[in-house]
Amino acid sequence: DNPETIEPVEAFIGRVLEGYEQIKRETTGTTLVVTHSNPEMVMQNAALNPDNVQKFWELGDPAYCEGFTVEF
């Protein structure tokens, strides 16, 4: 359980996925998204493993400046 001052995991995932969907709708071609590791892991799971997006933390803590590439 998160302390009251911390955003619940479900709300965090929902907020990240909302932004991710907006990026997909509003961009064309190659797009660079710069973010912290947790949102990056949520987006990576949404792109590569959407049935398991709730377990984004299982990807582990990414190395500095790590990322992923996906084509739509």
Side-chain angles (χ1 to χ4, degrees):
D1 294 333
N2 288 334
E4 290 181 23
T5 58
I6 303 295
E7 180 179 30
V9 172
E10 293 295 327
F12 168 73
I13 291 171
R15 182 169 55 84
V16 171
L17 292 178
E18 183 179 314
Y20 180 61
E21 292 301 321
Q22 182 178 355
I23 290 166
K24 288 174 21 181
R25 280 192 313 271
E26 296 180 5
T27 61
T28 59
T30 302
T31 303
L32 174 66
V33 177
V34 179
T35 187
H36 294 279
S37 61
N38 283 343
E40 185 268 334
M41 291 187 297
V42 170
M43 290 185 286
Q44 183 175 346
N45 263 11
L48 306 176
N49 192 15
D51 294 334
N52 204 23
V53 73
Q54 301 296 324
K55 295 186 178 187
F56 67 90
W57 62 86
E58 290 181 356
L59 292 173
D61 196 16
Y64 181 70
C65 291
E66 185 175 294
F68 70 101
T69 303
V70 64
E71 291 185 30
F72 301 105

